[in-house]
């Protein structure tokens, strides 16, 4: 992983000292809240429903054990003993006191972490495939490129006051695990006809009140041209993007208004002017960055302990079948740690659980952890021989739930339990769904099914691209939950279709049951997954299950 230079350390220290002075001025009354707001947002500090919230960047989702332990320490020392991992591969602390935030930032700096640009109208934390550097299907590790983008975008003088926030995601695999098509810029590594690796560049994706799937602006961009091309894209939007209406300010609206062909022409013109200004310095930097991302020294060992446990321990076998993925190195696996125990808050981890995960990474995982956009933690490099011991430690820490990709592996935003913008609760709905299907013992039979829940139209829970999406809204002071079906967050990304009128809080779990029952009765075989069944049979049988006869369905349409 990337290690700070002296410049990086000095930069972060100076920013922290500057913010400490700003906090002191706010506490003394020298700054009003309105004056303080843009300053705190530049440093990742929000004012939520009940308290401040500090959002900490985990660049491209990569952590080492020392960093995870420090997050645990911060949770114990200045928060309430837990942290919340988010779809942006960040961690949020929900209960800090304002006077303590500068100390929290200094503690983060001790392990080369910060909260810079995790909020505000800037280029946010660059996210990446959580299997990066480990996946068997990967063309190349995209994290060096993500780090290059992070350095380029941090405090970039042109891009500190953009029309709105701007999000970039990168994947090095043809199988998109980074939701690139739902980002302002998505970068998918591809090969051209000569076998050279470069990027397909996607622009104008995004969820929220106007969900859109991004459009391809460049089929193939050589790696050497990446930064000037990104700068061209952001420059064009910075000029064209609306500042008079925040709901129409994102690049997706700009692309929709002008059309992808016009945007492409403008970007190419700007790129032609910028390309030569970079003069190869960015590529020299990228070369030095790549050295930090050298593959671990993988070990050659007997995998018999794994094979014996797989045969003799059905609990371990269920976990292995669900939570392990193929690794590029022989004898290794990628292990996902579910933060979605049935009935738990999706994405939350206690300080004790963080320390357990840190210990496992240090002892068995080449000192690497990843935060996934699905709000789980990944041990990207574990030898199969160590998996029985890892599983035993996870069980002791209530971290061994075997549900990755299943119906209880729910993405959920904090909702109205924390967020000042939310119009409905998300967490209790996720908990009730997970608990109900655990009671029904249907989870493994259902197979891969992605439920995503948002507590408002800002769509922080990615509900638009869930196989089943749930959006909580306020209807005359009552929580109401709309359902969408058929969303897809992968390389075949799609926005889900709304089923019809929403459901009250006490009706939503039975409604999800009816959807699942319909799927189980309509699927062509036990191997046909929900999204395939929905694509094949369409919305009609699901609407019938939700709303009844044809007259009611016509009203719902």
């Amino acid at each position: 992983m990337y290690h700070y230079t002296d410049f990086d350390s000095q930069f972060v220290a100076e920013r922290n000292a500057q913010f400490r002075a700003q906090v002191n001025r706010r506490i003394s009354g020298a700054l009003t809240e309105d004056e303080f707001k843009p300053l705190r947002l530049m440093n990742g500090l929000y004012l939520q429903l009940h308290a401040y919230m500090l959002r900490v960047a985990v660049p491209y989702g990569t952590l080492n054990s020392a960093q995870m332990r420090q997050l645990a320490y911060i949770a114990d020392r200045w928060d309430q003993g837990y942290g919340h991992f988010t779809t942006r591969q960040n961690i949020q602390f929900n209960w800090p006191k304002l006077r303590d935030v500068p100390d929290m930032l200094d503690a983060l700096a001790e392990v080369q972490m910060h909260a810079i640009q995790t909020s505000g109208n800037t280029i946010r934390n660059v996210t990446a495939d959580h299997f990066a550097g480990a996946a068997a299907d990967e063309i190349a590790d995209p994290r060096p490129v993500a780090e290059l983008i992070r350095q380029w975008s941090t405090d970039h003088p042109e891009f500190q006051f953009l029309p709105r926030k701007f999000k970039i995601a990168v994947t090095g695999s043809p199988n998109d695990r980074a939701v690139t098509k739902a980002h302002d810029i998505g970068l998918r590594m591809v090969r051209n006809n000569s076998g050279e690796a470069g990027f397909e560049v996607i622009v104008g994706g995004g969820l929220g009140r106007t969900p859109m799937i991004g459009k391809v602006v460049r089929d193939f961009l050589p790696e050497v041209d990446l930064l000037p091309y990104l700068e061209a894209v952001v420059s064009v939007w910075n000029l064209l993007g609306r500042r008079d209406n925040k709901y129409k300010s994102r690049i997706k609206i700009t692309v929709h208004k002008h059309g992808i062909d016009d945007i492409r022409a403008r970007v190419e013109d700007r790129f032609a002017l910028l390309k030569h200004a970079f003069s190869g310095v960015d590529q020299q930097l990228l070369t030095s960055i790549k050295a930090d991302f050298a593959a671990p020294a993988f070990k050659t060992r007997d995998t018999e302990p794994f094979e014996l446990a797989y045969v003799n321990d059905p609990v371990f076998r269920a976990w292995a079948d669900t939570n392990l993925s193929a690794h590029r190195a022989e004898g290794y696996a990628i292990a996902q740690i579910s933060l979605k125990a049935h009935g738990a808050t999706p994405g939350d981890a206690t300080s004790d659980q963080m320390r357990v995960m840190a210990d496992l990474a240090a002892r068995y995982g080449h000192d690497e952890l990843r935060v996934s956009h699905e709000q789980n933690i990944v041990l990207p490099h574990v030898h199969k021989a160590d998996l029985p011991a890892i599983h035993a430690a996870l069980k002791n820490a209530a971290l061994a739930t075997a549900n990755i990709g299943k119906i209880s592996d729910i993405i959920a935003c904090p909702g109205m339990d924390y967020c000042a913008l939310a119009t409905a609760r998300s967490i209790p709905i996720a908990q009730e769904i997970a608990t109900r299907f655990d009671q029904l013992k249907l989870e493994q039979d259902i197979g891969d099914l992605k439920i995503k829940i948002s507590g408002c139209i800002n769509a922080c829970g990615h509900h638009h691209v869930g196989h089943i999406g749930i959006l909580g809204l306020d209807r005359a002071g009552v929580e109401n939950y709309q359902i969408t079906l058929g969303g897809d967050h992968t390389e075949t990304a799609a926005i889900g279709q709304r089923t019809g009128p929403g459901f009250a809080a006490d009706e939503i779990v039975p409604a999800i049951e009816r959807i699942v029952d319909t799927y189980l009765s309509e699927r062509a075989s036990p191997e046909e997954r929900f999204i395939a069944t929905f694509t094949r049979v369409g919305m009609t049988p699901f609407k019938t299950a939700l709303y009844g006869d044809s007259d009611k369905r016509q009203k719902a349409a």
Side-chain angles (χ1 to χ4, degrees), residues 162-440:
L162 294 169
R164 198 73 167 83
K165 59 187 175 182
F166 198 88
K167 300 175 181 179
I168 300 174
V170 191
T171 181
S173 167
N175 298 303
D176 186 1
R177 289 177 290 265
V179 206
T180 57
K181 292 187 177 182
H183 281 74
D184 298 290
I185 293 178
L187 298 171
R188 294 183 63 226
M189 196 175 291
V190 294
R191 293 192 184 278
N192 63 13
N193 293 334
S194 301
E196 300 167 320
F199 290 96
E200 177 187 75
V201 184
I202 303 159
V203 302
L207 304 179
R209 68 174 58 228
T210 312
M212 294 185 183
I213 298 300
K215 296 178 172 59
V216 176
V217 70
R218 256 288 188 116
D219 292 315
F220 183 83
L221 180 73
E223 185 177 82
V224 68
D225 292 330
L226 183 60
L227 280 196
Y229 198 83
L230 294 185
E231 187 149 326
V233 171
V234 184
S235 296
V236 167
W237 171 63
N238 200 19
L239 180 64
L240 296 178
R242 293 181 60 173
R243 287 176 165 82
D244 62 322
N245 186 333
K246 71 176 183 178
Y247 302 119
K248 297 182 180 181
S249 59
R250 300 290 293 271
I251 192 173
K252 62 186 178 183
I253 304 299
T254 305
V255 171
H256 179 73
K257 176 183 176 181
H258 291 267
I260 189 62
D261 292 334
D262 180 72
I263 294 297
R264 182 182 295 112
R266 292 171 185 264
V267 168
E268 293 291 342
D269 287 347
R270 180 66 177 157
F271 170 62
L273 295 174
L274 288 171
K275 181 176 179 178
H276 301 294
F278 280 76
S279 68
V281 174
D282 54 322
Q283 293 305 298
Q284 295 171 22
L285 178 58
L286 180 59
T287 298
S288 66
I289 290 171
K290 285 182 177 179
D292 284 329
F293 291 88
F298 295 125
K299 302 169 185 176
T300 302
R301 296 170 59 193
D302 191 347
T303 60
E304 185 179 10
F306 169 81
E307 291 151 5
L308 288 173
Y310 190 85
V311 170
N312 296 321
D313 183 349
V315 175
F316 174 79
R317 181 167 61 250
W319 178 80
D321 286 343
T322 306
N323 291 38
L324 300 183
S325 297
H327 196 283
R328 64 187 181 89
E330 185 176 357
Y332 275 74
I334 301 168
Q336 295 196 68
I337 302 171
S338 174
L339 299 185
K340 316 284 182 62
H342 300 107
T345 299
D348 277 10
T350 67
S351 55
D352 287 342
Q353 289 175 326
M354 291 184 212
R355 280 185 279 268
V356 168
M357 292 186 285
D359 291 345
L360 291 175
R363 183 172 181 181
Y364 301 113
H366 297 277
D367 205 31
E368 277 197 53
L369 300 126
R370 306 285 172 75
V371 181
S372 78
H373 82 270
E374 295 177 322
Q375 298 177 287
N376 294 311
I377 302 296
V378 181
L379 292 170
H381 311 294
V382 289
H383 198 279
K384 290 182 177 180
D386 294 322
L387 285 168
I390 290 171
H391 179 252
L394 292 174
K395 277 202 301 184
N396 289 336
L399 288 169
T401 307
N403 66 340
I404 295 294
K406 307 305 180 189
I407 196 168
S408 64
D409 184 16
I410 298 170
I411 289 178
C413 73
M416 210 160 58
D417 289 296
Y418 295 97
C419 182
L421 301 177
T423 50
R425 295 166 299 163
S426 299
I427 293 170
I429 302 303
Q431 292 169 324
E432 290 169 18
I433 292 171
T435 299
R436 179 57 178 157
F437 282 94
D438 185 44
Q439 293 169 342
L440 294 172

Side-chain angles (χ1 to χ4, degrees), residues 72-126:
Y73 168 74
I74 289 170
D76 282 338
R77 176 69 178 81
W78 293 294
D79 207 90
Q80 293 190 6
Y82 73 97
H84 177 72
F85 291 96
T86 79
T87 56
R88 294 299 304 161
Q89 297 180 308
N90 296 313
I91 183 172
Q92 295 179 177
F93 294 105
N94 289 313
W95 301 101
K97 294 180 174 60
L98 179 58
R99 66 174 181 270
D100 294 331
V101 173
D103 291 336
M104 297 170 75
L105 294 177
D106 284 346
L108 289 169
E110 291 173 7
V111 291
Q112 303 189 352
M113 298 184 73
H114 62 76
I116 297 167
Q117 291 185 199
T118 57
S119 182
N121 294 338
T122 59
I123 296 175
R124 299 288 187 87
N125 185 40
V126 179

Side-chain angles (χ1 to χ4, degrees), residues 24 26-27 33 124 148 223 233 280 330 342 347 473 547 550:
N24 289 338
R26 173 70 189 108
I27 292 173
E33 177 55 36
R124 299 288 187 87
L148 180 70
E223 185 177 82
V233 171
E330 185 176 357
H342 300 107
L473 297 170
Y547 302 108
S550 59

